[in-house]
Amino acid sequence: MKYLMFVTAILGCLHLSAQEQGPEWREPGSSSKAYGVYRNKLTVPPYGLAKVKALIEKIPYEEDDSSPMGNKDYMSLSLREKFTYHMIHMEINAQNCDIRPPIQDEDKKIFGMMADGFSESVWSDRQVKFLISNRDSVMALIKESTDRSKRMGANYKMAIVEINGREMIPYIIEVYNRDQKDRDLLTLLMLLMKNNEYKPFMESQSFRKLYGPDASYQSYIDYNKANEDLIIKRATDYYNTIRK
């Protein structure tokens, strides 16, 4: 079966780590679990999807944890099909047995880091080069696909960070305001301000709590109206500075 060895290794890590954690692990509530699933959900682009999936199935499992599509098949893809490929398949497979503990009250928090919808796999150098070299097209396709599916998945948000898509700030806010459900869109706004060293944000209490020396991947601020409004205002102010 495809990736059988890889999946077996991951399941083994999960089993061992769960045993090692002991009874101090408290089971999150149902709303927290549901939001965790929601945060990690990917958006699957429609562009040449059947063709891309068929080519991915041909990729052999590699012992070095890489799973790149062969160059001949890759070069046969159009730009839109390559976008689909990169959004559903990361070529570097991370196998990490340090399983993170469950997050309590995940639905009540705005995190400093976004959910990793690919389970810690990462884009290869080839994939990153494609995203950056075609950033205008990537941003346009993300908008087109998000409007179609009514959802900006974890993969799209990760791609926006990768290409430093700060021009998308108004659109990110627009998507968030549609249902105000995906707080990782607020995290995305903060990451764009952080990565571009926007001084008013870098000097804020929120920045120190989320990205300071004592921060971790679970660092968060409370989800409330005041924090939501403040993040959107700061991001809007930042966007207005780069338009000048």
Side-chain angles (χ1 to χ4, degrees):
M1 182 180 292
K2 187 82 167 74
Y3 303 132
L4 178 59
M5 294 174 62
F6 173 70
V7 171
T8 301
I10 291 295
L11 291 176
C13 289
L14 284 166
H15 178 69
L16 290 173
S17 297
Q19 287 182 328
E20 291 168 358
Q21 293 303 318
E24 67 273 13
W25 274 32
R26 180 168 61 89
E27 188 74 9
S30 58
S31 58
S32 180
K33 285 182 179 179
Y35 185 62
V37 172
Y38 177 82
R39 288 180 69 210
N40 280 277
K41 189 175 180 180
L42 306 180
T43 299
V44 178
Y47 316 114
L49 182 59
K51 174 183 175 181
V52 171
K53 283 185 172 180
L55 291 175
I56 289 174
E57 283 300 312
K58 292 171 51 180
I59 300 173
Y61 176 83
E62 300 290 346
E63 292 295 335
D64 63 357
D65 297 334
S66 64
S67 55
M69 181 182 290
N71 193 59
K72 182 178 179 181
D73 287 338
Y74 181 76
M75 295 307 295
S76 74
L77 300 176
S78 67
L79 186 146
R80 285 178 171 242
E81 290 167 344
K82 286 177 181 175
F83 173 78
T84 294
Y85 171 64
H86 299 316
M87 290 304 106
I88 67 173
H89 181 78
M90 287 186 164
E91 291 185 335
I92 306 298
N93 306 312
Q95 294 188 27
N96 186 358
C97 283
D98 294 329
I99 303 301
R100 294 172 175 177
I103 301 175
Q104 306 297 331
D105 299 322
E106 194 164 351
D107 53 321
K108 300 177 182 178
K109 300 173 179 178
I110 304 171
F111 293 93
M113 303 302 293
M114 299 184 302
D116 178 7
F118 284 99
S119 301
E120 298 184 355
S121 293
V122 296
W123 282 304
S124 65
D125 290 343
R126 172 174 74 171
Q127 292 181 300
V128 171
K129 183 178 179 180
F130 170 87
L131 295 174
I132 294 174
S133 299
N134 298 280
R135 70 186 301 274
D136 288 345
S137 296
V138 168
M139 288 189 288
L141 290 170
I142 287 175
K143 287 182 179 181
E144 180 182 303
S145 179
T146 298
D147 286 341
R148 176 181 177 274
S149 65
K150 310 302 180 187
R151 175 86 169 94
M152 185 183 285
N155 48 346
Y156 285 6
K157 293 191 283 284
M158 293 164 70
I160 291 170
V161 171
E162 194 71 56
I163 65 175
N164 191 26
R166 57 187 190 169
E167 300 95 324
M168 296 187 71
I169 285 174
Y171 180 73
I172 295 165
I173 295 171
E174 175 191 328
V175 173
Y176 177 74
N177 283 331
R178 290 174 185 174
D179 57 18
Q180 298 180 326
K181 183 178 178 181
D182 185 358
R183 266 84 75 186
D184 269 5
L185 289 168
L186 300 176
T187 302
L188 175 57
L189 294 173
M190 291 191 291
L191 286 171
L192 290 172
M193 289 189 284
K194 169 184 174 289
N195 293 347
N196 287 282
E197 300 183 349
Y198 179 51
K199 191 173 181 180
F201 178 61
M202 303 282 281
E203 294 176 347
S204 70
Q205 183 178 350
S206 296
F207 178 85
R208 289 190 292 273
K209 184 172 184 179
L210 295 172
Y211 307 109
D214 297 325
S216 72
Y217 78 96
Q218 281 198 11
S219 293
Y220 69 93
I221 56 177
D222 292 331
Y223 170 58
N224 55 45
K225 181 65 174 172
N227 282 333
E228 175 188 82
D229 289 346
L230 183 57
I231 293 168
I232 290 174
K233 182 182 185 303
R234 281 182 176 146
T236 300
D237 291 344
Y238 167 61
Y239 177 74
N240 288 334
T241 68
I242 66 176
R243 292 181 62 195
K244 297 178 180 178

